[in-house]
Amino acid sequence: MDQIFSEQVQVPDAVVSVAFDKAWSFVEKDPLLAHNLQAVLHSRLRTYLECSIRNGERNALKLANEAIRNLRAELAPSTGQ
């Protein structure tokens, strides 16, 4: 039983890793986020991914897209509209 529990605990880390890679390939080229430090982008992106995982999302593409939206909402410069 410990092995089954251990595998269940590791699944979210694997999903977060895949989602992070998908999201990062977009974020690192996003002109709206370019003014931010890479370390800040990494940290916030990981935080958003982990939050979505805790809320039950397991689809890596959905995780990545939601994290990108949240990151842009938080860190992209406002257009004043």
Side-chain angles (χ1 to χ4, degrees):
M1 183 176 295
D2 288 337
Q3 182 180 1
I4 292 170
F5 178 74
S6 176
E7 288 172 7
Q8 288 174 342
V9 170
Q10 292 173 3
V11 168
D13 287 341
V15 172
V16 170
S17 180
V18 169
F20 183 91
D21 290 344
K22 287 180 180 296
W24 185 250
S25 67
F26 176 84
V27 168
E28 70 181 339
K29 297 176 184 112
D30 187 342
L32 295 178
L33 297 172
H35 69 283
N36 294 282
L37 295 174
Q38 186 175 13
V40 171
L41 294 171
H42 270 243
S43 174
R44 299 304 298 147
L45 185 59
R46 180 110 184 147
T47 298
Y48 285 127
L49 291 169
E50 290 171 346
C51 181
S52 292
I53 283 283
R54 282 192 303 275
N55 289 331
E57 184 59 65
R58 294 294 185 267
N59 180 293
L61 185 57
K62 288 181 181 178
L63 285 164
N65 287 337
E66 184 175 347
I68 291 166
R69 278 192 300 273
N70 289 331
L71 195 62
R72 290 180 103 195
E74 177 188 359
L75 298 176
S78 175
T79 59
Q81 295 179 358

